[in-house]
Amino acid sequence: MPAARVAVAGVELDPLTEGEVVTRVFDDLRRGRGGHLVTPNVDICRLAVRDAELRALVRRADVVVADGMPLVWAARLLGTPLPGRVTGADLIWALSEAAARHGVPVYLLGGPPGVADAAASALRARCPRLAVAGTHTPPFGFESTPGGVTPIRDALLRAKPGLVFVGLGFPKQDRLIEVLRADLPAAWFVGCGSAIAFAAGAVRRAPGWMGEAGLEWLFRLLSEPARLGRRYLVDDLPFALRLLAGCLVGRGLTGERTSDRVSGTPRRG
């Protein structure tokens, strides 16, 4: 039986390592079962706190793992530790390596024009046996255009991938995944954010030590200050500090679920 999920900052996280995630995905694929994988970070949690529909969207996913050290630290402070962070940027490589071993075709959906193709080339360079069933970059605003999902669905049905990386940002990518899963019930869909761009080399990743120290956001902010300044400095950083401070205070309190108080999630029971 899977371990109970850990409630942190408006979402419920599975206490899995990267290797355990890969095992879960390919065990299901072997049995003909698909799924939906979400990797929440601080920004996704901040959005989920404010929006019940987004909280439910994450909760419905089959696997939900923490992509962000503040969430790992918060879970530890709450007394329900996670084994570590599991990032979409790492999973695209680990899952592709497993797909190459098991003969599972993958599909890359998202990124600016040309980026998915570059990512596919990079993945094949590391995993020569990897079968890339296809790539697609949807046009801007496709989700609000009548019939905008149809070309994506048709392309996937022709390609018949077993593993689909969807890098369109939350919540767009995960809403799309829920629509597409009905047509490909035996495929696993991974909402991976910027992972396709990282794999392509279009966006630089922080050094490993910065990620483990919870400073990957700082590296990205310095790389793209105009685009990410407000998100990181005005929205995400204050949210993360409030989250950790609330967890610290909550360790000494009883009678109320700390994660509910910090995140603003309605209490159940």
Side-chain angles (χ1 to χ4, degrees):
M1 179 178 293
R5 283 182 166 176
V6 175
V8 178
V11 302
E12 296 177 356
L13 301 163
D14 291 302
L16 299 173
T17 65
E18 180 183 288
E20 288 168 339
V21 171
V22 173
T23 297
R24 164 69 188 278
V25 168
F26 282 87
D27 281 351
D28 278 2
L29 285 171
R30 188 169 60 251
R31 294 179 173 89
R33 294 199 299 258
H36 178 189
L37 193 157
V38 180
T39 59
N41 55 19
V42 166
D43 194 61
I44 290 175
C45 289
R46 179 182 61 82
L47 295 173
V49 161
R50 303 186 308 182
D51 190 319
E53 185 269 328
L54 296 183
R55 288 197 299 275
L57 177 63
V58 174
R59 190 178 301 119
R60 288 192 297 270
D62 299 276
V63 173
V64 184
V65 286
D67 184 341
M69 286 306 297
L71 305 184
V72 175
W73 296 333
R76 191 176 303 154
L77 290 170
L78 292 169
T80 51
L82 297 165
R85 75 174 186 149
V86 183
T87 72
D90 290 327
L91 277 173
I92 194 171
W93 295 102
L95 289 168
S96 293
E97 288 168 359
R101 291 195 303 272
H102 293 284
V104 173
V106 306
Y107 195 98
L108 302 175
L109 174 59
V115 168
D117 289 333
S121 296
L123 292 169
R124 279 193 296 249
R126 183 181 295 189
C127 315
R129 295 170 58 192
L130 180 66
V132 177
T135 66
H136 184 67
T137 299
F140 179 77
F142 76 92
E143 71 280 6
S144 57
T145 302
V149 174
T150 301
I152 301 172
R153 178 187 288 115
D154 291 347
L156 284 170
L157 288 173
R158 288 193 299 270
K160 297 182 174 61
L163 187 59
V164 185
F165 296 105
V166 187
L168 297 170
F170 180 88
K172 183 191 299 186
Q173 64 193 15
D174 300 283
R175 287 172 171 155
L176 176 63
I177 286 169
E178 289 206 325
V179 171
L180 296 173
R181 283 192 65 187
D183 297 292
L184 291 164
W188 263 87
F189 290 81
V190 182
C192 63
S194 298
I196 293 174
F198 284 135
V203 177
R204 290 178 57 206
R205 282 199 76 187
W209 69 267
M210 292 189 78
E212 292 305 314
L215 294 174
E216 189 160 0
W217 67 272
L218 179 59
F219 181 89
R220 294 199 64 195
L221 173 63
L222 294 174
S223 301
E224 300 181 83
R227 188 174 75 86
L228 298 174
R230 177 175 177 81
R231 169 181 157 182
Y232 285 154
L233 296 178
V234 177
D235 297 329
D236 291 354
L237 183 58
F239 177 84
L241 293 175
R242 287 195 303 270
L243 168 66
L244 295 172
C247 292
L248 278 170
V249 172
R251 292 185 70 174
L253 301 177
T254 58
E256 182 179 1
R257 285 178 57 188
T258 304
S259 59
D260 291 344
R261 181 177 59 258
V262 173
S263 69
T265 305
R267 293 181 66 185
R268 292 177 292 180

